[in-house]
Amino acid sequence: MEIQKLQWDSDFFGFEIFRINIKEEVNNIQGITDTIKATKADLIYIMHDGCDDTVSSNELLSQAPIDIKITYSINLDNFRFSRSKHIDESIQLFSPKDSIGQLYDLAYQSGHKSRFKVDNHFNKDDFERLYRIWVDNSISQKIADYVFVSKKDGDINGFVTLKIINKEANIGLIAVDSKSQGFGVGRKLINKVIDTLLLHSVTKLYVATQKSNEGACKFYSHLGFEIDSITSIYHIWRRDTKAILEAY
């Protein structure tokens, strides 16, 4: 069991946030409660490898996870000799002339299943500020190397952010406007990503979504992505579990 203070999250939301990583079956409830007490955390994210509905029968952790994150991956060697068919000139890099407000709106749509939206302890402004910063830091290349956009009638109707690390890459955000879904925009964005990565000799691409986002899961599976890992995420709030903590 590993614990880490999340300084960025703490500063952003304005209260003490820690993360506990658990890679095995949870049987040390006392250890977790002691950790929560010792850190005086207002919120702890418990990240548990696997897809259990609950991590424990204990009252503290018997809630359903706030999120089950599924990370998909695809081996790009399968595309190595057929790159040309993935080129689509209609997908372009985001330009300073483009509307960042349209990116924000699409980002909010993409996060409709986000744990920061589903958890009602966070307010709408928290969620939207988080996604605006995500977009801003992607455009400024702090956390992304590329931001590709799709347009219809001059307006952005889809975008994707991409980060390359050595021979692997991650999609951070991908969104298609609800009115443009079902017309192949998402596939075109992914094809542009794959084409770009092949030019950089990247061998593997990762993207994460929520298990509850069934549309996204079907989309990635249809494109040939396979499940790489599954993580159950719990939000343990001190103010909600005070009585339980005092019992230990």
Side-chain angles (χ1 to χ4, degrees):
M1 186 171 65
E2 304 172 6
I3 185 166
Q4 174 188 8
K5 180 175 180 179
L6 302 179
Q7 193 62 56
W8 191 94
D9 294 53
S10 299
D11 293 341
F12 180 82
F13 291 112
F15 43 82
E16 296 292 284
I17 301 178
F18 286 73
R19 178 175 64 202
I20 294 177
N21 296 322
I22 300 174
K23 298 185 180 297
E24 67 281 334
E25 183 179 351
V26 177
N27 51 29
N28 186 12
I29 299 300
Q30 184 67 57
I32 293 176
T33 53
D34 287 347
T35 297
I36 295 174
K37 291 177 181 178
T39 61
K40 299 188 182 302
D42 297 298
L43 168 63
I44 288 187
Y45 309 148
I46 293 183
M47 323 293 283
H48 181 235
D49 284 359
C51 193
D52 300 324
D53 290 335
T54 61
V55 295
S56 171
S57 60
N58 178 273
E59 187 179 1
L60 179 65
L61 299 176
S62 62
Q63 60 181 301
I66 195 71
D67 181 17
I68 297 177
K69 183 176 77 171
I70 300 181
T71 300
Y72 289 89
S73 67
I74 192 166
N75 188 335
L76 300 184
D77 286 335
N78 298 332
F79 300 86
R80 192 70 54 191
F81 302 106
S82 58
R83 182 172 63 86
S84 60
K85 74 177 183 179
H86 296 287
I87 297 174
D88 192 319
E89 299 300 332
S90 69
I91 308 297
Q92 300 290 330
L93 283 170
F94 178 82
S95 163
K97 296 180 181 180
D98 292 328
S99 170
I100 194 169
Q102 291 177 352
L103 288 193
Y104 292 155
D105 290 340
L106 288 170
Y108 303 152
Q109 290 186 45
S110 75
H112 71 288
K113 295 288 188 178
S114 165
R115 57 194 171 100
F116 299 103
K117 185 175 179 67
V118 174
D119 188 336
N120 58 21
H121 290 84
F122 297 105
N123 60 46
K124 181 180 178 181
D125 183 61
D126 289 330
F127 163 75
E128 292 188 351
R129 282 193 307 123
L130 181 64
Y131 273 71
R132 286 197 300 272
I133 288 178
W134 198 346
V135 168
D136 291 342
N137 287 344
S138 297
I139 291 172
S140 65
Q141 296 188 314
K142 290 181 180 178
I143 60 173
D145 297 310
Y146 298 93
V147 179
F148 294 113
V149 298
S150 167
K151 293 183 181 179
K152 181 180 180 181
D153 299 327
D155 292 326
I156 298 174
N157 66 343
F159 81 98
V160 62
T161 70
L162 179 65
K163 179 68 176 179
I164 300 174
I165 304 174
N166 298 321
K167 295 297 181 181
E168 298 183 339
N170 290 281
I171 289 175
L173 284 170
I174 181 169
V176 176
D177 184 73
S178 58
K179 296 178 181 179
S180 296
Q181 292 177 7
F183 295 96
V185 176
R187 178 184 288 274
K188 289 180 180 180
L189 289 167
I190 294 293
N191 285 346
K192 183 65 174 181
V193 164
I194 290 174
D195 179 58
T196 301
L197 296 180
L198 292 176
L199 291 173
H200 289 81
S201 300
V202 172
T203 59
K204 204 163 190 179
L205 172 63
Y206 296 89
V207 62
T209 190
Q210 299 85 17
K211 182 184 179 184
S212 59
N213 192 344
E214 295 180 1
C217 293
K218 290 179 181 178
F219 172 70
Y220 295 125
S221 296
H222 183 70
L223 292 181
F225 285 78
E226 297 181 348
I227 293 176
D228 187 83
S229 65
I230 300 175
T231 303
S232 297
I233 303 174
Y234 298 78
H235 285 180
I236 306 300
W237 292 86
R238 174 180 289 274
R239 62 178 180 266
D240 288 347
T241 57
K242 184 177 179 182
I244 300 172
L245 289 170
E246 289 175 350
Y248 283 85

